[in-house]
């Protein structure tokens, strides 16, 4: 079994992400958050299990569903919330919104909301790391839909060709908006594509945080040793709608049996149970952790709401061109 | 001062930058091959090694993203495509990422990279090997677009582009590659965003760029014989556009003709004419005109391409029309000129044997 300290660290991040997302879902309905939000509720274990194995100066890239990755990598919560609220104190000064989170200091170098779009950029960062000869690892989060993009195949080829220090993390939540994977891809598993390109690739249960942590730990070690790129496909499920704060199963696009199956596999509930069953932590300690997280979230919301909106600059040229 | 071809000037610029700055690397299909991207990259691999001068998989989109990532992470990549047309596979990365990164993440990281594109023309290149898409790139905030016409500017603008902290689209025209001109030997910069008045004149302003400068200067030989003295502005940079130089010239001449090989609709010429028309301080003596490629794809057959591209004769005719000068005399001059100059229309000069 992992050390108590490590298990608690995983739990703290997991619960912080879950509670942050739930708070955003609630606040969204006040109509002060005026940008699309893609909540990661149900998928948090992957972000935490992977990022817990990364160092501060390792680099992460993400997608439209980026809140969990940002928080798991240690991104500043106040600036994230301010960004979602469109404030000048936001991590992208209010220009990017929820889908363009960034925190350079934390090694979260950016998220972009076009399928497969941040993937080659992450690869280029890994390429430069290799050219410069440093030991930093890069992890890039993608979804199952990315495997349908041409750029995905181009990137896997290039990563192997140059033996780049990058981890591809595919969160397979079975859906691209409302369209099931089986309507978009042949039945072969996604990780097999990466394997065929010649890299280490595995498929694991993305809702089991310990399994995510364990495989990530060994595979990131492999990357750090200069043994080339690796690919992890994690099976998971989003609880709520593709974009927005609500549940949308009244639309009937998901099989109710499937929904029930995955809700039972909720990563937060199950990890809580694991920690209590194995007496890693007492219920009272758990409550304390939750309270601390709620405190952080309340402060972040307060920071976001009290922050000023950005002003429209007259000379827009200096905003789009670097000196 | 040494005299060199346009291609050799580009080669010198890349060489000079690779030598000066360890973060520069050159990547593209065929970069280290025996042809060396029409000679622009010849000999560089031998000098700087495979980690700085490299070939790439046929993955334009991913490799553009890779260069963006490398640029964000401290490198200065130069990515080459042997045709403008091939860069279209990478529009997602160019437009959604390279152009916007600096803005959309709150001015924290910029993308200092160069995408070098070659425009094809003639020898049957056809619809997908000879597009002039400078307008497409010049439309996008966050990009800079340069298209030099002379060897001296080619070298100086590649150096400026590589040293710039933003993504720069560098466009060279295939028919400029073998042109010859003075090129300083040192490491020098031609500023991005500055046009150049390459011929002083008083009767009309001809704004032009890239290969169309060659055709414009040929037209000047005819026009000068008619006593017409046009002023020629070589844009060199399309974005950011040097309005000031254009305005100053048109204020003086009162007439404007723009020649550019992009399509007519929504093109470079349309933009320049708009800017001049919007300026209340400029009073034009006659309506501004443009000479561009037509609004259909470039055909392959020499029988069709002969009529596709506007040439120096079209420019001369348009100027004479705008000035209400002697059309008949011009017709005679053109006839004489054609008699003494029998190079086929689909090659830049007699030596050109294709294949691309």
């Amino acid at each position: 079994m992992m050390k108590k300290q490590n298990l608690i660290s995983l739990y703290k991040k997991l619960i912080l992400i879950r509670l942050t997302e739930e708070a955003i879902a609630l606040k969204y309905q006040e109509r002060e958050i005026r940008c699309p939000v893609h909540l990661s509720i149900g998928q948090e274990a992957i972000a935490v299990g992977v990022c817990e194995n990364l160092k501060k100066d390792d680099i992460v890239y993400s997608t439209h569903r980026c809140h969990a990755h940002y928080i798991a990598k240690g991104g500043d919560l106040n600036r994230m919330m301010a960004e979602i609220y469109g404030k000048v104190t936001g991590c992208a000064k209010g220009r990017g919104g929820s889908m363009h989170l960034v925190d350079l200091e934390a090694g979260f170098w950016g998220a972009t909301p076009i399928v497969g779009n941040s993937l080659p950029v992450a690869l280029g960062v890994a390429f430069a790391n290799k050219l410069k000869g440093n030991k930093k690892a890069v992890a890039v989060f993608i979804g199952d839909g990315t495997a349908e993009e041409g750029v995905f195949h181009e990137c896997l080829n290039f990563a192997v060709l140059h033996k780049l220090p990058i981890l591809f993390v595919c969160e397979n939540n079975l859906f691209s908006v409302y369209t099931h994977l089986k309507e978009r891809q042949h039945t072969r598993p996604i990780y097999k594509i990466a394997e065929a390109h010649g890299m280490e690739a595995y498929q694991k249960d993305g809702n089991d945080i310990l399994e995510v942590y364990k495989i990530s730990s060994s595979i990131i070690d492999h990357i750090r040793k200069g043994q080339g790129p690796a690919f992890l496909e994690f099976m998971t499920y989003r609880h709520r709608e593709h974009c927005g704060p609500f549940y949308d199963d009244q639309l009937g696009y998901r099989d109710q049996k499937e929904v029930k199956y995955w809700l039972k596999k909720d990563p937060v509930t199950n990890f809580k149970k694991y920690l209590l069953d194995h007496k890693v932590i007492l219920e009272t300690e758990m409550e304390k952790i939750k309270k601390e997280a709620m405190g952080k979230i309340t402060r972040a919301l307060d920071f976001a709401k009290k922050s000023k909106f950005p002003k429209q600059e007259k000379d827009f040229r200096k905003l789009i061109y670097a000196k | 001062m040494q005299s060199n071809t346009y291609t050799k000037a580009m080669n010198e610029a890349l060489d000079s930058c690779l030598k000066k700055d360890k973060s520069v690397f050159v990547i593209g299909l065929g970069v280290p091959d025996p042809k060396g991207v029409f000679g622009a990259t010849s000999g560089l691999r031998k000098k700087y090694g495979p980690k700085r001068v490299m070939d790439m998989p046929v993955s334009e989109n991913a490799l553009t993203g890779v260069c963006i990532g490398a640029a964000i992470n401290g490198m200065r990549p130069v990515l080459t495509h042997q045709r403008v047309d091939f860069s279209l596979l990478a529009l997602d990365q160019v437009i959604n990422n390279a152009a916007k990164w600096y803005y959309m993440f709150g001015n924290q990281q910029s993308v200092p990279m160069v995408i070098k594109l070659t425009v094809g023309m003639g020898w049957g290149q056809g619809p997908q090997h000879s597009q002039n898409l400078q307008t497409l790139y010049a439309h996008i905030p966050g990009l800079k677009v340069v298209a030099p016409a002379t060897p001296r500017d080619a070298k100086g603008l590649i150096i400026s582009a590589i040293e710039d902290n933003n993504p720069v689209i560098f466009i060279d025209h295939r028919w400029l590659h073998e042109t010859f001109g003075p090129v300083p030997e040192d490491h020098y910069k031609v500023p991005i965003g500055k046009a150049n008045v390459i011929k002083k004149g008083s009767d009309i302003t001809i704004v032009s760029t890239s290969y169309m400068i060659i055709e414009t200067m040929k037209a000047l030989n005819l026009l000068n014989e008619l006593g017409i003295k046009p002023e020629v502005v070589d844009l060199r940079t399309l974005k950011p556009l040097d309005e000031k130089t254009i305005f100053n010239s048109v204020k003086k001449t009162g007439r404007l003709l723009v020649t550019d090989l992009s399509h007519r609709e929504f093109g470079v010429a349309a933009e320049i004419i708009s800017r001049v028309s919007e300026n209340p301080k400029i009073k034009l003596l006659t309506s501004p005109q443009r000479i561009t490629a037509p609004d259909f794809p470039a055909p392959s057959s020499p029988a069709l391409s002969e009529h596709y591209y506007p040439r120096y004769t079209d420019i001369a005719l348009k100027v004479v029309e705008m000035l209400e000068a002697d059309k008949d005399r011009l017709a005679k001059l053109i006839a004489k000129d054609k008699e003494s100059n029998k190079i086929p229309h689909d090659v830049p000069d007699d030596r050109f044997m294709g294949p691309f």
Side-chain angles (χ1 to χ4, degrees):
Chain A
M1 203 166 97
M2 280 169 68
K3 280 185 198 159
K4 179 180 172 179
Q5 198 188 334
N6 294 351
L7 289 167
I8 291 177
S9 171
L10 288 178
Y11 180 71
K12 279 184 174 172
K13 275 192 181 174
L14 196 65
I15 199 73
L16 178 63
I17 296 168
R18 173 63 59 93
L19 294 174
T20 302
E21 294 289 59
E22 284 176 348
I24 291 170
L26 264 178
K27 291 289 167 188
Y28 191 84
Q29 294 163 52
E30 292 174 0
R31 303 180 75 88
E32 279 181 46
I33 294 173
R34 303 183 79 84
C35 74
V37 289
H38 300 78
L39 303 180
S40 32
I41 295 173
Q43 308 186 186
E44 304 94 329
I46 303 165
V48 177
V50 171
C51 291
E52 198 70 356
N53 286 293
L54 295 171
K55 295 177 185 164
K56 194 176 175 191
D57 62 356
D58 288 331
I59 295 153
V60 163
Y61 277 92
S62 173
T63 67
H64 51 281
R65 202 174 305 286
C66 60
H67 302 173
H69 308 137
Y70 175 94
I71 297 172
K73 190 64 178 58
D76 185 290
L77 196 64
N78 287 6
R79 298 189 65 208
M80 165 181 158
M81 213 59 100
E83 187 61 34
I84 296 174
Y85 273 83
K87 299 299 177 76
V88 72
T89 52
C91 55
K93 297 184 184 166
R95 295 189 202 144
S98 154
M99 302 188 283
H100 287 284
L101 298 184
V102 62
D103 187 335
L104 300 184
E105 227 174 280
F108 187 85
W109 278 25
T112 67
I114 291 170
V115 178
N117 169 276
S118 65
L119 181 57
V121 178
L123 194 60
V125 169
F127 187 50
N129 282 344
K130 183 160 190 204
L131 291 173
K132 292 195 278 191
N134 66 37
K135 296 275 172 216
K136 292 179 193 174
V138 175
V140 56
F141 288 90
I142 54 175
D144 44 290
T146 301
E148 292 147 41
E149 295 284 359
V151 77
F152 173 75
H153 303 267
E154 297 181 11
C155 285
L156 295 180
N157 174 56
F158 191 76
V160 175
L161 181 70
H162 286 274
K163 249 184 147 182
L164 299 182
I166 187 165
L167 173 63
F168 299 95
V169 185
C170 179
E171 297 179 335
N172 185 348
N173 69 8
L174 301 177
F175 281 86
S176 176
V177 191
Y178 302 124
T179 310
H180 194 277
L181 184 65
K182 66 186 179 209
E183 290 185 53
R184 299 179 283 117
Q185 293 181 34
H186 180 57
T187 49
R188 58 91 192 89
I190 292 171
Y191 80 99
K192 285 280 180 193
I193 305 171
E195 200 175 75
H197 273 281
M199 70 179 82
E200 294 258 348
Y202 303 95
Q203 187 189 61
K204 298 281 175 187
D205 180 354
N207 281 24
D208 181 341
I209 193 164
L210 295 177
E211 197 169 323
V212 176
Y213 181 86
K214 208 172 121 198
I215 186 76
S216 305
S217 167
S218 68
I219 213 87
I220 291 169
D221 197 41
H222 155 102
I223 289 166
R224 264 194 230 290
K225 281 182 185 149
Q227 290 166 342
F231 191 98
L232 295 177
E233 178 186 7
F234 291 114
M235 302 310 292
T236 189
Y237 210 67
R238 73 174 142 74
H239 290 186
R240 305 200 182 194
E241 57 191 336
H242 159 69
C243 178
F246 303 114
Y247 293 89
D248 64 352
D249 283 310
Q250 79 285 359
L251 294 174
Y253 70 101
R254 301 203 290 197
D255 181 348
Q256 281 312 294
K257 268 193 221 151
E258 188 185 80
V259 175
K260 273 186 196 147
Y261 169 81
W262 282 100
L263 285 179
K264 260 194 200 158
K265 282 173 64 65
D266 174 41
V268 176
T269 317
N270 289 339
F271 191 49
K272 259 187 191 173
K273 191 171 178 303
Y274 173 92
L275 293 176
L276 292 172
D277 287 354
H278 290 79
K279 306 209 181 334
V280 177
I281 187 170
L282 297 170
E283 198 130 22
T284 47
E285 286 177 89
M286 223 171 224
E287 275 308 305
K288 207 179 140 208
I289 290 171
K290 199 173 163 184
K291 257 190 190 156
E292 274 170 18
M294 281 312 294
K296 280 184 192 169
I297 295 162
T298 309
R299 285 193 294 278
L301 283 166
D302 198 45
F303 175 81
K305 288 192 169 199
K306 282 186 180 153
S307 288
K308 290 198 167 94
F309 280 111
K311 276 189 190 139
Q312 186 60 53
E313 293 260 356
K314 269 191 187 142
D315 180 11
F316 61 83
R317 279 203 43 183
K318 68 178 183 196
L319 305 183
I320 56 173
Y321 295 108
K323 265 188 192 159
Chain B
M1 195 188 295
Q2 59 168 354
S3 214
N4 257 332
T5 61
Y6 190 100
T7 300
K8 185 75 179 78
M10 293 195 289
N11 185 271
E12 275 181 18
L14 294 174
D15 192 341
S16 185
C17 291
L18 282 161
K19 188 173 165 189
K20 197 171 169 235
D21 183 351
K22 288 262 181 298
S23 65
V24 175
F25 69 84
V26 183
I27 188 167
L29 281 168
V31 159
D33 80 10
K35 292 280 179 83
V37 189
F38 309 106
T41 59
S42 295
L44 297 178
R45 181 170 222 170
K46 210 174 161 193
K47 240 170 146 171
Y48 300 99
K51 280 187 174 171
R52 301 192 61 205
V53 180
M54 51 195 137
D55 220 310
M56 70 175 215
V58 194
S59 305
E60 289 83 357
N61 197 24
L63 265 294
T64 305
V66 164
C67 287
I68 293 167
I72 286 167
N73 197 7
M75 309 301 287
R76 289 188 179 269
V78 180
L79 172 64
T80 72
H81 298 300
Q82 304 205 14
R83 283 291 181 273
V84 174
D85 318 61
F86 310 159
S87 72
L88 298 181
L89 286 154
L91 284 186
D92 171 47
Q93 289 302 320
V94 176
I95 298 178
N96 286 323
N97 283 344
K100 294 181 178 56
W101 209 270
Y102 183 66
Y103 176 83
M104 76 185 171
F105 289 115
N107 301 146
Q108 299 182 71
Q109 287 177 317
S110 71
V111 182
M113 73 179 285
V114 179
I115 302 177
K116 180 186 153 333
L117 308 173
T118 301
V119 181
M121 178 162 147
W123 203 265
Q125 298 288 309
Q128 294 184 339
H129 269 54
S130 53
Q131 292 179 80
N132 287 265
L133 297 174
Q134 48 269 42
T135 301
L136 182 72
Y137 290 113
H139 185 65
I140 306 300
L143 297 179
K144 295 185 178 182
V145 183
V146 301
T150 68
R152 180 206 285 260
D153 288 345
K155 180 173 173 183
L157 274 166
I158 285 194
I159 292 173
S160 287
I162 291 173
E163 295 184 4
D164 199 283
N165 286 325
N166 301 282
V168 181
I169 309 290
F170 180 98
I171 298 174
D172 53 84
H173 193 286
R174 182 73 185 88
W175 284 22
L176 290 171
H177 286 175
E178 300 306 317
T179 58
F180 225 68
V183 181
E185 280 169 62
D186 58 334
H187 184 91
Y188 66 92
K189 292 208 264 186
V190 168
I192 294 174
K194 286 267 178 290
N196 189 21
V197 178
I198 53 170
K199 193 81 192 169
K200 290 233 176 253
S202 51
D203 298 326
I204 182 170
T205 298
I206 306 179
V207 176
S208 186
T209 183
S210 188
Y211 175 70
M212 280 311 265
I213 288 289
I214 303 276
E215 296 288 339
T216 300
M217 296 314 278
K218 273 164 120 178
L220 247 59
N221 291 338
L222 299 173
L223 294 168
N224 288 344
E225 280 199 46
L226 296 176
I228 300 170
K229 301 255 176 289
E231 178 146 303
V232 180
V233 176
D234 176 3
L235 287 175
R236 304 194 290 193
T237 297
L238 298 172
K239 191 182 188 77
L241 188 66
D242 179 4
E243 300 185 323
K244 211 170 139 193
T245 301
I246 299 168
F247 290 163
N248 285 343
S249 176
V250 182
K251 271 179 202 163
K252 188 172 76 179
T253 64
R255 294 182 180 88
L256 172 65
L257 171 65
V258 187
T259 69
D260 174 66
L261 282 180
S262 14
H263 297 297
R264 184 182 179 83
E265 289 184 3
F266 307 95
V268 170
E271 176 65 23
I272 291 165
I273 289 173
S274 291
R275 299 240 196 148
V276 169
S277 309
E278 281 167 346
N279 187 330
K281 287 182 186 151
I282 295 176
K283 301 283 174 245
L284 290 172
L285 300 168
T286 177
S287 60
Q289 298 291 318
R290 54 185 153 162
I291 286 182
T292 66
D295 288 313
F296 60 92
S300 176
S301 163
L304 296 171
S305 66
E306 183 160 16
H307 307 291
Y308 186 81
Y309 289 104
R311 304 303 282 264
Y312 68 102
T313 45
D314 301 293
I315 298 170
L317 281 165
K318 183 62 80 181
V319 170
V320 162
E321 192 185 297
M322 287 172 77
L323 289 166
E324 295 177 20
D326 191 340
K327 269 190 193 165
D328 296 337
R329 255 191 82 199
L330 177 64
K332 278 179 199 154
L333 284 172
I334 289 175
K336 203 175 119 197
D337 196 65
K338 286 203 165 157
E339 194 56 40
S340 66
N341 184 2
K342 292 216 159 145
I343 298 169
H345 81 278
D346 60 348
V347 289
D349 56 58
D350 265 344
R351 292 165 301 163
F352 190 90
M353 299 294 285
F356 61 91

